[in-house]
Short mmCIF file of all heavy atoms in Angstrom, two decimals:
data_model
loop_
_atom_site.label_atom_id
_atom_site.label_comp_id
_atom_site.label_asym_id
_atom_site.label_seq_id
_atom_site.Cartn_x
_atom_site.Cartn_y
_atom_site.Cartn_z
N ALA A 47 -0.52 12.26 -7.12
CA ALA A 47 0.86 12.75 -7.23
C ALA A 47 1.57 12.85 -5.83
O ALA A 47 2.71 12.57 -5.69
CB ALA A 47 0.87 14.14 -7.93
N VAL A 48 0.71 13.33 -4.83
CA VAL A 48 1.27 13.39 -3.47
C VAL A 48 1.54 12.09 -2.89
O VAL A 48 2.57 11.75 -2.33
CB VAL A 48 0.34 14.14 -2.61
CG1 VAL A 48 0.88 14.21 -1.13
CG2 VAL A 48 0.07 15.60 -3.11
N THR A 49 0.64 11.11 -2.98
CA THR A 49 0.82 9.88 -2.39
C THR A 49 1.80 9.03 -3.07
O THR A 49 2.36 8.10 -2.38
CB THR A 49 -0.56 9.02 -2.38
OG1 THR A 49 -1.02 8.86 -3.71
CG2 THR A 49 -1.60 9.80 -1.55
N GLU A 50 2.15 9.24 -4.29
CA GLU A 50 3.16 8.48 -4.96
C GLU A 50 4.57 8.97 -4.69
O GLU A 50 5.52 8.32 -5.10
CB GLU A 50 2.88 8.50 -6.45
CG GLU A 50 1.79 7.53 -6.83
CD GLU A 50 2.11 6.12 -6.49
OE1 GLU A 50 2.97 5.49 -7.10
OE2 GLU A 50 1.39 5.55 -5.50
N GLU A 51 4.75 10.09 -4.03
CA GLU A 51 6.10 10.59 -3.68
C GLU A 51 6.72 9.59 -2.77
O GLU A 51 6.11 9.04 -1.85
CB GLU A 51 6.04 11.92 -3.02
CG GLU A 51 5.68 13.09 -3.93
CD GLU A 51 5.94 14.40 -3.31
OE1 GLU A 51 6.85 14.54 -2.38
OE2 GLU A 51 5.26 15.36 -3.60
N LYS A 52 8.02 9.32 -3.05
CA LYS A 52 8.80 8.28 -2.17
C LYS A 52 10.16 8.97 -1.77
O LYS A 52 10.66 9.86 -2.44
CB LYS A 52 9.05 7.10 -2.98
CG LYS A 52 7.78 6.29 -3.23
CD LYS A 52 8.16 4.93 -3.93
CE LYS A 52 6.90 4.15 -4.15
NZ LYS A 52 6.27 3.70 -2.98
N LEU A 53 10.56 8.58 -0.58
CA LEU A 53 11.90 9.01 -0.11
C LEU A 53 12.99 8.18 -0.69
O LEU A 53 14.13 8.55 -0.60
CB LEU A 53 11.89 8.97 1.43
CG LEU A 53 11.05 10.13 2.04
CD1 LEU A 53 10.89 9.81 3.60
CD2 LEU A 53 11.55 11.45 1.86
N GLY A 54 12.68 6.99 -1.20
CA GLY A 54 13.66 6.10 -1.74
C GLY A 54 14.49 5.39 -0.75
O GLY A 54 15.62 5.01 -1.02
N ASN A 55 13.91 5.20 0.47
CA ASN A 55 14.67 4.44 1.48
C ASN A 55 13.70 3.54 2.30
O ASN A 55 12.56 3.39 1.83
CB ASN A 55 15.47 5.38 2.43
CG ASN A 55 14.59 6.47 3.03
OD1 ASN A 55 13.37 6.26 3.28
ND2 ASN A 55 15.09 7.70 3.21
N SER A 56 14.12 3.06 3.44
CA SER A 56 13.32 2.19 4.17
C SER A 56 12.07 2.84 4.83
O SER A 56 11.21 2.17 5.43
CB SER A 56 14.09 1.47 5.35
OG SER A 56 14.63 2.48 6.17
N CYS A 57 11.96 4.20 4.69
CA CYS A 57 10.79 4.85 5.20
C CYS A 57 9.55 4.53 4.29
O CYS A 57 8.42 4.68 4.75
CB CYS A 57 11.00 6.40 5.28
SG CYS A 57 12.21 6.87 6.51
N ASP A 58 9.83 4.20 3.10
CA ASP A 58 8.71 3.92 2.14
C ASP A 58 8.06 2.60 2.57
O ASP A 58 8.73 1.61 3.07
CB ASP A 58 9.16 3.84 0.71
CG ASP A 58 9.77 5.15 0.22
OD1 ASP A 58 9.25 6.21 0.65
OD2 ASP A 58 10.73 5.10 -0.53
N SER A 59 6.74 2.40 2.28
CA SER A 59 6.08 1.18 2.62
C SER A 59 6.59 0.12 1.66
O SER A 59 6.98 0.28 0.53
CB SER A 59 4.63 1.26 2.40
OG SER A 59 4.28 1.74 1.08
N THR A 60 6.58 -1.08 2.14
CA THR A 60 6.95 -2.33 1.40
C THR A 60 5.82 -2.79 0.62
O THR A 60 4.65 -2.52 0.94
CB THR A 60 7.52 -3.43 2.30
OG1 THR A 60 6.45 -3.89 3.05
CG2 THR A 60 8.64 -2.85 3.19
N PRO A 61 6.06 -3.67 -0.41
CA PRO A 61 4.89 -4.25 -1.16
C PRO A 61 4.02 -5.11 -0.17
O PRO A 61 2.81 -5.04 -0.41
CB PRO A 61 5.57 -5.17 -2.14
CG PRO A 61 6.93 -4.53 -2.42
CD PRO A 61 7.32 -3.94 -1.05
N GLU A 62 4.66 -5.75 0.81
CA GLU A 62 3.86 -6.48 1.74
C GLU A 62 2.93 -5.57 2.57
O GLU A 62 1.77 -5.94 2.86
CB GLU A 62 4.81 -7.33 2.66
CG GLU A 62 5.52 -8.40 1.97
CD GLU A 62 6.71 -7.88 1.17
OE1 GLU A 62 7.09 -6.75 1.32
OE2 GLU A 62 7.21 -8.68 0.41
N GLU A 63 3.45 -4.48 2.92
CA GLU A 63 2.64 -3.50 3.75
C GLU A 63 1.47 -2.87 2.90
O GLU A 63 0.37 -2.71 3.36
CB GLU A 63 3.54 -2.35 4.29
CG GLU A 63 4.46 -2.85 5.43
CD GLU A 63 5.58 -1.93 5.73
OE1 GLU A 63 5.85 -1.01 5.01
OE2 GLU A 63 6.19 -2.10 6.79
N ASP A 64 1.81 -2.56 1.65
CA ASP A 64 0.73 -2.14 0.74
C ASP A 64 -0.38 -3.15 0.57
O ASP A 64 -1.53 -2.87 0.46
CB ASP A 64 1.36 -1.81 -0.65
CG ASP A 64 2.13 -0.48 -0.65
OD1 ASP A 64 1.94 0.30 0.35
OD2 ASP A 64 3.00 -0.29 -1.52
N GLU A 65 0.03 -4.46 0.50
CA GLU A 65 -0.90 -5.56 0.30
C GLU A 65 -1.79 -5.57 1.50
O GLU A 65 -3.01 -5.71 1.41
CB GLU A 65 -0.21 -6.85 0.16
CG GLU A 65 -1.07 -8.00 -0.27
CD GLU A 65 -1.53 -7.89 -1.69
OE1 GLU A 65 -0.89 -7.25 -2.59
OE2 GLU A 65 -2.66 -8.46 -2.02
N ALA A 66 -1.24 -5.44 2.70
CA ALA A 66 -2.01 -5.60 3.92
C ALA A 66 -3.00 -4.41 4.16
O ALA A 66 -4.11 -4.54 4.49
CB ALA A 66 -1.08 -5.72 5.15
N LEU A 67 -2.41 -3.14 3.82
CA LEU A 67 -3.25 -2.02 4.04
C LEU A 67 -4.26 -1.66 2.97
O LEU A 67 -5.29 -1.10 3.25
CB LEU A 67 -2.26 -0.83 4.17
CG LEU A 67 -1.41 -0.77 5.51
CD1 LEU A 67 -0.25 0.16 5.29
CD2 LEU A 67 -2.27 -0.39 6.68
N ILE A 68 -3.91 -2.00 1.75
CA ILE A 68 -4.71 -1.53 0.59
C ILE A 68 -5.28 -2.73 -0.24
O ILE A 68 -6.47 -3.03 -0.24
CB ILE A 68 -3.95 -0.55 -0.36
CG1 ILE A 68 -3.66 0.76 0.45
CG2 ILE A 68 -4.84 -0.21 -1.52
CD1 ILE A 68 -4.84 1.65 0.69
N PHE A 69 -4.38 -3.37 -0.98
CA PHE A 69 -4.86 -4.19 -2.08
C PHE A 69 -5.54 -5.49 -1.51
O PHE A 69 -6.54 -5.91 -2.16
CB PHE A 69 -3.63 -4.62 -2.88
CG PHE A 69 -2.94 -3.44 -3.60
CD1 PHE A 69 -1.61 -3.22 -3.29
CD2 PHE A 69 -3.63 -2.48 -4.31
CE1 PHE A 69 -1.01 -2.04 -3.87
CE2 PHE A 69 -3.08 -1.37 -4.79
CZ PHE A 69 -1.68 -1.16 -4.54
N GLY A 70 -5.07 -6.13 -0.48
CA GLY A 70 -5.77 -7.27 0.07
C GLY A 70 -7.15 -6.99 0.56
O GLY A 70 -8.11 -7.71 0.37
N ARG A 71 -7.26 -5.78 1.18
CA ARG A 71 -8.58 -5.36 1.69
C ARG A 71 -9.54 -5.12 0.51
O ARG A 71 -10.69 -5.36 0.52
CB ARG A 71 -8.39 -4.20 2.62
CG ARG A 71 -7.68 -4.58 3.86
CD ARG A 71 -7.28 -3.30 4.57
NE ARG A 71 -8.33 -2.70 5.33
CZ ARG A 71 -8.44 -1.44 5.71
NH1 ARG A 71 -7.36 -0.59 5.50
NH2 ARG A 71 -9.39 -0.98 6.44
N ASN A 72 -8.97 -4.41 -0.58
CA ASN A 72 -9.81 -4.13 -1.78
C ASN A 72 -10.46 -5.38 -2.27
O ASN A 72 -11.59 -5.51 -2.63
CB ASN A 72 -8.91 -3.51 -2.90
CG ASN A 72 -8.45 -2.12 -2.54
OD1 ASN A 72 -8.85 -1.55 -1.56
ND2 ASN A 72 -7.58 -1.57 -3.40
N ALA A 73 -9.59 -6.43 -2.40
CA ALA A 73 -10.10 -7.79 -2.96
C ALA A 73 -11.08 -8.33 -2.09
O ALA A 73 -12.13 -8.97 -2.54
CB ALA A 73 -8.85 -8.69 -3.12
N ASP A 74 -10.92 -8.29 -0.77
CA ASP A 74 -11.87 -8.84 0.17
C ASP A 74 -13.16 -8.14 0.09
O ASP A 74 -14.27 -8.75 0.09
CB ASP A 74 -11.29 -8.71 1.61
CG ASP A 74 -12.27 -9.25 2.63
OD1 ASP A 74 -12.55 -10.46 2.61
OD2 ASP A 74 -12.70 -8.42 3.51
N TRP A 75 -13.21 -6.77 -0.03
CA TRP A 75 -14.44 -6.01 -0.07
C TRP A 75 -15.12 -6.33 -1.36
O TRP A 75 -16.37 -6.48 -1.38
CB TRP A 75 -14.15 -4.56 0.08
CG TRP A 75 -13.48 -4.18 1.32
CD1 TRP A 75 -13.36 -4.93 2.48
CD2 TRP A 75 -12.87 -2.91 1.66
NE1 TRP A 75 -12.70 -4.20 3.45
CE2 TRP A 75 -12.45 -3.01 3.03
CE3 TRP A 75 -12.70 -1.71 0.95
CZ2 TRP A 75 -11.78 -1.90 3.62
CZ3 TRP A 75 -12.08 -0.65 1.58
CH2 TRP A 75 -11.68 -0.73 2.94
N ALA A 76 -14.42 -6.37 -2.49
CA ALA A 76 -15.05 -6.65 -3.80
C ALA A 76 -15.65 -7.98 -3.83
O ALA A 76 -16.67 -8.15 -4.49
CB ALA A 76 -14.01 -6.54 -4.86
N GLU A 77 -15.15 -8.92 -3.09
CA GLU A 77 -15.79 -10.27 -3.02
C GLU A 77 -17.06 -10.22 -2.15
O GLU A 77 -18.01 -10.98 -2.41
CB GLU A 77 -14.84 -11.22 -2.39
CG GLU A 77 -13.63 -11.65 -3.27
CD GLU A 77 -12.72 -12.67 -2.63
OE1 GLU A 77 -13.06 -13.11 -1.52
OE2 GLU A 77 -11.71 -12.99 -3.21
#
């Protein structure tokens, strides 16, 4: 609930940033 809070502006991470920081690394580790 805390991490999903957003300010609704450019301060929020972009999908590309989320991919680089979280999801792309998840896929790499799982492989």
